[in-house]
Amino acid sequence: MKISILSRIRPPEILAGGTVLLLILGFYFFALQGVFSAGKSLSFQSFWQDDYLRHILLFSFGQALLSALLAIASGMIFAKSLFYLDFKGKSLLIKICSLTFVLPALVAIFGLIGIYGSSGWLAQLSTFFGIEWQLNIYGLTGILIAHLFFNIPLASRMFLQSFSAIPNEQRQLAAQLNLRGWAFFRWVELPYLRQQLPAVFGLIFMLCFTSFTIVLTLGGSPKYTTLEVAIYQAIMFEFDLTKAAFLAIMQFIFCFILFSLTQIFNKNIKSSISTSKVWLNKPLQGVRFFYFSIIILFSLFILLPLVNLVVTAIFSAKWQSVLSMPLFWKSTFYSISIALFSALFSLLMALAILFLARKLTYLYFERTAKFILNAGMTVLAIPTLVVAIGLFLLLQQIEFNQVHLFIIIILCNAFASLPFMLKTLSVPMNHNMQRYEKLCSSLHIQGWQRFRLIEWQSLSSPVKYAFCLAFCFSLGDFTAIALFGNQEFSSLPYLLYQQLGSYRMNEASVTAFILLLLCFMVFFIAERKNPQGTQND
């Protein structure tokens, strides 16, 4: 029976999907082999006896836990305010929240320094009113602020799904019973939020635990160092490859455990009754004022750093200086080229995996399909820096040229983007399978003709969105280039980091603005309506 079912899977689907899975397995096995080979001489006991390394581990967990808890609490309040209050610009604000997830970390850091730094807008405002107060942006405070900037929009977008999943019948029944405030939250909203809560917490915790650029830039001292930054320092400043490899092993183990727990508790939001329009009980005037205040507060928190960046760049006197630098144009060329090739490669890998997985799901091989998808998602459990460390250790005897570095960084960024590609495309591709499989089989439409004539009409928007997401993700990535970058092979984030490190803030404002402009342009393309009139979610 199984043989006859498997015979219904076309060889190109098996070949493409199997090749990608083998490529993922081989690439990460090769990289992790270098890490484990170099780090096997140290033991966990020696690690735990080192006070500084123990402090690094505890701080990594502590700041990630605090960041995740604050982001979840803030994101839940922000999502509830957005859901229950309609206003002009609401859809634009939600789209900006989507953009912050792929915004280059160094761009956001520049904007945050401009607001909360020693000479930032808040400090100037305090001086204007004669208040002697100054926020120290470097250290745990700055790390938390930066993490909240990225993760509050992420949490709010995910919790908005939970609020939208509540059936209208439950809302109407609650209105008849006059359930408001805490009672409404406890009996109606909390059961749906609880479904999403473990997944949101696990994702944000893992993102903060593996935070590299933010901690490297805003840490300020060895006291505020995470495992990823300690790995980078062990190679770049101490050149202790054994220590770096052992720290990478610890990073991999913890991330794999966190990822496994996240997958166990991850549940899809389901509603028992589907409705075309959401029914809402009009909030009381005081509640509306509270929601409006929350939206204003968090909107300022998210938008002010971006506004500061734009204003600083526009009035910068270094435009001619930056635009006349050959290194700037070389970095721009490398950044766009890497982003294009890595996004394209990631998209092709995601499509190959999903074509095979959805066919298996359609033929009731659901466990095998889920295993294939989890194999692609497992990339989240292996931080890019760990992969880069493994490649660095294995290939350190090779004299790299620009082509070698170009290929390595493309591969690192493409694999890092793969889980987000799979998440974005899995649902629409499965829907297409359910809708068109019997029709295409009866008409004998297969392969490229089926994709072009039948499926592309509904897949064009999500494919375009996924490609732009991966493009922006790769465009702003600083992890791999931090190890392999040099004066001959640079990128815009690498150049921006050098400008910030040498306190050339006017030049950094121009570079950061161009990075921000590129991301906005790419997302504008992603959000444009296609010829059929549909729009990306």
mmCIF file with all atom_site columns, all heavy atoms in Angstrom, residues 245-261:
data_model
loop_
_atom_site.group_PDB
_atom_site.id
_atom_site.type_symbol
_atom_site.label_atom_id
_atom_site.label_alt_id
_atom_site.label_comp_id
_atom_site.label_asym_id
_atom_site.label_entity_id
_atom_site.label_seq_id
_atom_site.pdbx_PDB_ins_code
_atom_site.Cartn_x
_atom_site.Cartn_y
_atom_site.Cartn_z
_atom_site.occupancy
_atom_site.B_iso_or_equiv
_atom_site.pdbx_formal_charge
_atom_site.auth_seq_id
_atom_site.auth_comp_id
_atom_site.auth_asym_id
_atom_site.auth_atom_id
_atom_site.pdbx_PDB_model_num
ATOM 1   N N   . ALA A 1 245 ? 35.453 27.596 20.578 1.00 0.00 ? 245 ALA A N   1
ATOM 2   C CA  . ALA A 1 245 ? 34.729 26.406 20.147 1.00 0.00 ? 245 ALA A CA  1
ATOM 3   C C   . ALA A 1 245 ? 33.909 25.813 21.292 1.00 0.00 ? 245 ALA A C   1
ATOM 4   O O   . ALA A 1 245 ? 32.770 25.386 21.095 1.00 0.00 ? 245 ALA A O   1
ATOM 5   C CB  . ALA A 1 245 ? 35.715 25.367 19.619 1.00 0.00 ? 245 ALA A CB  1
ATOM 6   N N   . PHE A 1 246 ? 34.477 25.784 22.483 1.00 0.00 ? 246 PHE A N   1
ATOM 7   C CA  . PHE A 1 246 ? 33.742 25.234 23.618 1.00 0.00 ? 246 PHE A CA  1
ATOM 8   C C   . PHE A 1 246 ? 32.522 26.096 23.946 1.00 0.00 ? 246 PHE A C   1
ATOM 9   O O   . PHE A 1 246 ? 31.435 25.573 24.220 1.00 0.00 ? 246 PHE A O   1
ATOM 10  C CB  . PHE A 1 246 ? 34.651 25.130 24.845 1.00 0.00 ? 246 PHE A CB  1
ATOM 11  C CG  . PHE A 1 246 ? 33.983 24.516 26.033 1.00 0.00 ? 246 PHE A CG  1
ATOM 12  C CD1 . PHE A 1 246 ? 33.807 23.142 26.116 1.00 0.00 ? 246 PHE A CD1 1
ATOM 13  C CD2 . PHE A 1 246 ? 33.509 25.298 27.063 1.00 0.00 ? 246 PHE A CD2 1
ATOM 14  C CE1 . PHE A 1 246 ? 33.177 22.563 27.198 1.00 0.00 ? 246 PHE A CE1 1
ATOM 15  C CE2 . PHE A 1 246 ? 32.879 24.740 28.157 1.00 0.00 ? 246 PHE A CE2 1
ATOM 16  C CZ  . PHE A 1 246 ? 32.710 23.365 28.219 1.00 0.00 ? 246 PHE A CZ  1
ATOM 17  N N   . LEU A 1 247 ? 32.673 27.406 23.915 1.00 0.00 ? 247 LEU A N   1
ATOM 18  C CA  . LEU A 1 247 ? 31.536 28.293 24.146 1.00 0.00 ? 247 LEU A CA  1
ATOM 19  C C   . LEU A 1 247 ? 30.471 28.102 23.068 1.00 0.00 ? 247 LEU A C   1
ATOM 20  O O   . LEU A 1 247 ? 29.268 28.153 23.349 1.00 0.00 ? 247 LEU A O   1
ATOM 21  C CB  . LEU A 1 247 ? 31.999 29.749 24.163 1.00 0.00 ? 247 LEU A CB  1
ATOM 22  C CG  . LEU A 1 247 ? 32.842 30.177 25.372 1.00 0.00 ? 247 LEU A CG  1
ATOM 23  C CD1 . LEU A 1 247 ? 33.374 31.595 25.161 1.00 0.00 ? 247 LEU A CD1 1
ATOM 24  C CD2 . LEU A 1 247 ? 32.024 30.116 26.646 1.00 0.00 ? 247 LEU A CD2 1
ATOM 25  N N   . ALA A 1 248 ? 30.918 27.859 21.834 1.00 0.00 ? 248 ALA A N   1
ATOM 26  C CA  . ALA A 1 248 ? 29.968 27.604 20.745 1.00 0.00 ? 248 ALA A CA  1
ATOM 27  C C   . ALA A 1 248 ? 29.208 26.303 20.981 1.00 0.00 ? 248 ALA A C   1
ATOM 28  O O   . ALA A 1 248 ? 28.011 26.203 20.668 1.00 0.00 ? 248 ALA A O   1
ATOM 29  C CB  . ALA A 1 248 ? 30.698 27.557 19.411 1.00 0.00 ? 248 ALA A CB  1
ATOM 30  N N   . ILE A 1 249 ? 29.879 25.300 21.535 1.00 0.00 ? 249 ILE A N   1
ATOM 31  C CA  . ILE A 1 249 ? 29.205 24.043 21.868 1.00 0.00 ? 249 ILE A CA  1
ATOM 32  C C   . ILE A 1 249 ? 28.128 24.289 22.917 1.00 0.00 ? 249 ILE A C   1
ATOM 33  O O   . ILE A 1 249 ? 26.992 23.798 22.802 1.00 0.00 ? 249 ILE A O   1
ATOM 34  C CB  . ILE A 1 249 ? 30.230 22.997 22.371 1.00 0.00 ? 249 ILE A CB  1
ATOM 35  C CG1 . ILE A 1 249 ? 31.173 22.588 21.239 1.00 0.00 ? 249 ILE A CG1 1
ATOM 36  C CG2 . ILE A 1 249 ? 29.513 21.770 22.927 1.00 0.00 ? 249 ILE A CG2 1
ATOM 37  C CD1 . ILE A 1 249 ? 32.321 21.709 21.691 1.00 0.00 ? 249 ILE A CD1 1
ATOM 38  N N   . MET A 1 250 ? 28.471 25.056 23.956 1.00 0.00 ? 250 MET A N   1
ATOM 39  C CA  . MET A 1 250 ? 27.496 25.367 24.987 1.00 0.00 ? 250 MET A CA  1
ATOM 40  C C   . MET A 1 250 ? 26.315 26.147 24.399 1.00 0.00 ? 250 MET A C   1
ATOM 41  O O   . MET A 1 250 ? 25.156 25.894 24.733 1.00 0.00 ? 250 MET A O   1
ATOM 42  C CB  . MET A 1 250 ? 28.155 26.187 26.099 1.00 0.00 ? 250 MET A CB  1
ATOM 43  C CG  . MET A 1 250 ? 29.349 25.503 26.773 1.00 0.00 ? 250 MET A CG  1
ATOM 44  S SD  . MET A 1 250 ? 28.938 23.877 27.435 1.00 0.00 ? 250 MET A SD  1
ATOM 45  C CE  . MET A 1 250 ? 27.675 24.308 28.622 1.00 0.00 ? 250 MET A CE  1
ATOM 46  N N   . GLN A 1 251 ? 26.621 27.069 23.519 1.00 0.00 ? 251 GLN A N   1
ATOM 47  C CA  . GLN A 1 251 ? 25.562 27.854 22.865 1.00 0.00 ? 251 GLN A CA  1
ATOM 48  C C   . GLN A 1 251 ? 24.644 26.943 22.070 1.00 0.00 ? 251 GLN A C   1
ATOM 49  O O   . GLN A 1 251 ? 23.405 27.071 22.128 1.00 0.00 ? 251 GLN A O   1
ATOM 50  C CB  . GLN A 1 251 ? 26.204 28.904 21.950 1.00 0.00 ? 251 GLN A CB  1
ATOM 51  C CG  . GLN A 1 251 ? 25.230 29.731 21.159 1.00 0.00 ? 251 GLN A CG  1
ATOM 52  C CD  . GLN A 1 251 ? 24.760 30.942 21.928 1.00 0.00 ? 251 GLN A CD  1
ATOM 53  O OE1 . GLN A 1 251 ? 24.709 30.929 23.144 1.00 0.00 ? 251 GLN A OE1 1
ATOM 54  N NE2 . GLN A 1 251 ? 24.410 31.985 21.214 1.00 0.00 ? 251 GLN A NE2 1
ATOM 55  N N   . PHE A 1 252 ? 25.219 26.030 21.322 1.00 0.00 ? 252 PHE A N   1
ATOM 56  C CA  . PHE A 1 252 ? 24.430 25.106 20.509 1.00 0.00 ? 252 PHE A CA  1
ATOM 57  C C   . PHE A 1 252 ? 23.532 24.217 21.382 1.00 0.00 ? 252 PHE A C   1
ATOM 58  O O   . PHE A 1 252 ? 22.349 24.019 21.083 1.00 0.00 ? 252 PHE A O   1
ATOM 59  C CB  . PHE A 1 252 ? 25.355 24.227 19.667 1.00 0.00 ? 252 PHE A CB  1
ATOM 60  C CG  . PHE A 1 252 ? 24.671 23.046 19.046 1.00 0.00 ? 252 PHE A CG  1
ATOM 61  C CD1 . PHE A 1 252 ? 23.776 23.209 18.000 1.00 0.00 ? 252 PHE A CD1 1
ATOM 62  C CD2 . PHE A 1 252 ? 24.917 21.760 19.513 1.00 0.00 ? 252 PHE A CD2 1
ATOM 63  C CE1 . PHE A 1 252 ? 23.141 22.111 17.437 1.00 0.00 ? 252 PHE A CE1 1
ATOM 64  C CE2 . PHE A 1 252 ? 24.283 20.668 18.956 1.00 0.00 ? 252 PHE A CE2 1
ATOM 65  C CZ  . PHE A 1 252 ? 23.395 20.844 17.916 1.00 0.00 ? 252 PHE A CZ  1
ATOM 66  N N   . ILE A 1 253 ? 24.082 23.688 22.469 1.00 0.00 ? 253 ILE A N   1
ATOM 67  C CA  . ILE A 1 253 ? 23.310 22.791 23.354 1.00 0.00 ? 253 ILE A CA  1
ATOM 68  C C   . ILE A 1 253 ? 22.108 23.535 23.942 1.00 0.00 ? 253 ILE A C   1
ATOM 69  O O   . ILE A 1 253 ? 20.975 23.046 23.919 1.00 0.00 ? 253 ILE A O   1
ATOM 70  C CB  . ILE A 1 253 ? 24.209 22.226 24.464 1.00 0.00 ? 253 ILE A CB  1
ATOM 71  C CG1 . ILE A 1 253 ? 25.244 21.265 23.860 1.00 0.00 ? 253 ILE A CG1 1
ATOM 72  C CG2 . ILE A 1 253 ? 23.378 21.505 25.525 1.00 0.00 ? 253 ILE A CG2 1
ATOM 73  C CD1 . ILE A 1 253 ? 26.281 20.785 24.852 1.00 0.00 ? 253 ILE A CD1 1
ATOM 74  N N   . PHE A 1 254 ? 22.361 24.738 24.479 1.00 0.00 ? 254 PHE A N   1
ATOM 75  C CA  . PHE A 1 254 ? 21.276 25.492 25.094 1.00 0.00 ? 254 PHE A CA  1
ATOM 76  C C   . PHE A 1 254 ? 20.219 25.883 24.063 1.00 0.00 ? 254 PHE A C   1
ATOM 77  O O   . PHE A 1 254 ? 19.010 25.810 24.336 1.00 0.00 ? 254 PHE A O   1
ATOM 78  C CB  . PHE A 1 254 ? 21.821 26.729 25.801 1.00 0.00 ? 254 PHE A CB  1
ATOM 79  C CG  . PHE A 1 254 ? 22.604 26.418 27.040 1.00 0.00 ? 254 PHE A CG  1
ATOM 80  C CD1 . PHE A 1 254 ? 23.874 26.943 27.227 1.00 0.00 ? 254 PHE A CD1 1
ATOM 81  C CD2 . PHE A 1 254 ? 22.076 25.596 28.024 1.00 0.00 ? 254 PHE A CD2 1
ATOM 82  C CE1 . PHE A 1 254 ? 24.601 26.658 28.368 1.00 0.00 ? 254 PHE A CE1 1
ATOM 83  C CE2 . PHE A 1 254 ? 22.805 25.303 29.169 1.00 0.00 ? 254 PHE A CE2 1
ATOM 84  C CZ  . PHE A 1 254 ? 24.061 25.831 29.344 1.00 0.00 ? 254 PHE A CZ  1
ATOM 85  N N   . CYS A 1 255 ? 20.655 26.317 22.880 1.00 0.00 ? 255 CYS A N   1
ATOM 86  C CA  . CYS A 1 255 ? 19.700 26.726 21.846 1.00 0.00 ? 255 CYS A CA  1
ATOM 87  C C   . CYS A 1 255 ? 18.882 25.537 21.348 1.00 0.00 ? 255 CYS A C   1
ATOM 88  O O   . CYS A 1 255 ? 17.683 25.676 21.081 1.00 0.00 ? 255 CYS A O   1
ATOM 89  C CB  . CYS A 1 255 ? 20.439 27.379 20.680 1.00 0.00 ? 255 CYS A CB  1
ATOM 90  S SG  . CYS A 1 255 ? 21.074 29.013 21.057 1.00 0.00 ? 255 CYS A SG  1
ATOM 91  N N   . PHE A 1 256 ? 19.521 24.386 21.231 1.00 0.00 ? 256 PHE A N   1
ATOM 92  C CA  . PHE A 1 256 ? 18.795 23.198 20.775 1.00 0.00 ? 256 PHE A CA  1
ATOM 93  C C   . PHE A 1 256 ? 17.732 22.791 21.789 1.00 0.00 ? 256 PHE A C   1
ATOM 94  O O   . PHE A 1 256 ? 16.611 22.419 21.416 1.00 0.00 ? 256 PHE A O   1
ATOM 95  C CB  . PHE A 1 256 ? 19.764 22.042 20.536 1.00 0.00 ? 256 PHE A CB  1
ATOM 96  C CG  . PHE A 1 256 ? 19.145 20.872 19.829 1.00 0.00 ? 256 PHE A CG  1
ATOM 97  C CD1 . PHE A 1 256 ? 18.990 20.896 18.453 1.00 0.00 ? 256 PHE A CD1 1
ATOM 98  C CD2 . PHE A 1 256 ? 18.696 19.767 20.541 1.00 0.00 ? 256 PHE A CD2 1
ATOM 99  C CE1 . PHE A 1 256 ? 18.406 19.818 17.792 1.00 0.00 ? 256 PHE A CE1 1
ATOM 100 C CE2 . PHE A 1 256 ? 18.107 18.694 19.887 1.00 0.00 ? 256 PHE A CE2 1
ATOM 101 C CZ  . PHE A 1 256 ? 17.968 18.718 18.507 1.00 0.00 ? 256 PHE A CZ  1
ATOM 102 N N   . ILE A 1 257 ? 18.075 22.872 23.074 1.00 0.00 ? 257 ILE A N   1
ATOM 103 C CA  . ILE A 1 257 ? 17.099 22.558 24.123 1.00 0.00 ? 257 ILE A CA  1
ATOM 104 C C   . ILE A 1 257 ? 15.937 23.555 24.084 1.00 0.00 ? 257 ILE A C   1
ATOM 105 O O   . ILE A 1 257 ? 14.759 23.174 24.154 1.00 0.00 ? 257 ILE A O   1
ATOM 106 C CB  . ILE A 1 257 ? 17.769 22.557 25.509 1.00 0.00 ? 257 ILE A CB  1
ATOM 107 C CG1 . ILE A 1 257 ? 18.777 21.402 25.608 1.00 0.00 ? 257 ILE A CG1 1
ATOM 108 C CG2 . ILE A 1 257 ? 16.727 22.445 26.624 1.00 0.00 ? 257 ILE A CG2 1
ATOM 109 C CD1 . ILE A 1 257 ? 19.606 21.419 26.871 1.00 0.00 ? 257 ILE A CD1 1
ATOM 110 N N   . LEU A 1 258 ? 16.262 24.851 23.965 1.00 0.00 ? 258 LEU A N   1
ATOM 111 C CA  . LEU A 1 258 ? 15.227 25.877 23.904 1.00 0.00 ? 258 LEU A CA  1
ATOM 112 C C   . LEU A 1 258 ? 14.330 25.688 22.684 1.00 0.00 ? 258 LEU A C   1
ATOM 113 O O   . LEU A 1 258 ? 13.102 25.806 22.776 1.00 0.00 ? 258 LEU A O   1
ATOM 114 C CB  . LEU A 1 258 ? 15.866 27.269 23.864 1.00 0.00 ? 258 LEU A CB  1
ATOM 115 C CG  . LEU A 1 258 ? 16.550 27.752 25.141 1.00 0.00 ? 258 LEU A CG  1
ATOM 116 C CD1 . LEU A 1 258 ? 17.313 29.051 24.868 1.00 0.00 ? 258 LEU A CD1 1
ATOM 117 C CD2 . LEU A 1 258 ? 15.546 27.959 26.248 1.00 0.00 ? 258 LEU A CD2 1
ATOM 118 N N   . PHE A 1 259 ? 14.930 25.387 21.547 1.00 0.00 ? 259 PHE A N   1
ATOM 119 C CA  . PHE A 1 259 ? 14.154 25.165 20.328 1.00 0.00 ? 259 PHE A CA  1
ATOM 120 C C   . PHE A 1 259 ? 13.232 23.958 20.475 1.00 0.00 ? 259 PHE A C   1
ATOM 121 O O   . PHE A 1 259 ? 12.055 24.005 20.069 1.00 0.00 ? 259 PHE A O   1
ATOM 122 C CB  . PHE A 1 259 ? 15.091 24.966 19.137 1.00 0.00 ? 259 PHE A CB  1
ATOM 123 C CG  . PHE A 1 259 ? 14.393 24.559 17.868 1.00 0.00 ? 259 PHE A CG  1
ATOM 124 C CD1 . PHE A 1 259 ? 13.707 25.492 17.113 1.00 0.00 ? 259 PHE A CD1 1
ATOM 125 C CD2 . PHE A 1 259 ? 14.409 23.240 17.442 1.00 0.00 ? 259 PHE A CD2 1
ATOM 126 C CE1 . PHE A 1 259 ? 13.053 25.113 15.947 1.00 0.00 ? 259 PHE A CE1 1
ATOM 127 C CE2 . PHE A 1 259 ? 13.755 22.863 16.285 1.00 0.00 ? 259 PHE A CE2 1
ATOM 128 C CZ  . PHE A 1 259 ? 13.080 23.799 15.540 1.00 0.00 ? 259 PHE A CZ  1
ATOM 129 N N   . SER A 1 260 ? 13.740 22.875 21.064 1.00 0.00 ? 260 SER A N   1
ATOM 130 C CA  . SER A 1 260 ? 12.925 21.671 21.247 1.00 0.00 ? 260 SER A CA  1
ATOM 131 C C   . SER A 1 260 ? 11.731 21.954 22.151 1.00 0.00 ? 260 SER A C   1
ATOM 132 O O   . SER A 1 260 ? 10.607 21.512 21.876 1.00 0.00 ? 260 SER A O   1
ATOM 133 C CB  . SER A 1 260 ? 13.784 20.541 21.840 1.00 0.00 ? 260 SER A CB  1
ATOM 134 O OG  . SER A 1 260 ? 14.873 20.244 20.993 1.00 0.00 ? 260 SER A OG  1
ATOM 135 N N   . LEU A 1 261 ? 11.966 22.700 23.231 1.00 0.00 ? 261 LEU A N   1
ATOM 136 C CA  . LEU A 1 261 ? 10.866 23.048 24.123 1.00 0.00 ? 261 LEU A CA  1
ATOM 137 C C   . LEU A 1 261 ? 9.842  23.930 23.421 1.00 0.00 ? 261 LEU A C   1
ATOM 138 O O   . LEU A 1 261 ? 8.634  23.776 23.621 1.00 0.00 ? 261 LEU A O   1
ATOM 139 C CB  . LEU A 1 261 ? 11.413 23.758 25.374 1.00 0.00 ? 261 LEU A CB  1
ATOM 140 C CG  . LEU A 1 261 ? 12.259 22.898 26.323 1.00 0.00 ? 261 LEU A CG  1
ATOM 141 C CD1 . LEU A 1 261 ? 12.840 23.759 27.444 1.00 0.00 ? 261 LEU A CD1 1
ATOM 142 C CD2 . LEU A 1 261 ? 11.418 21.775 26.915 1.00 0.00 ? 261 LEU A CD2 1
#
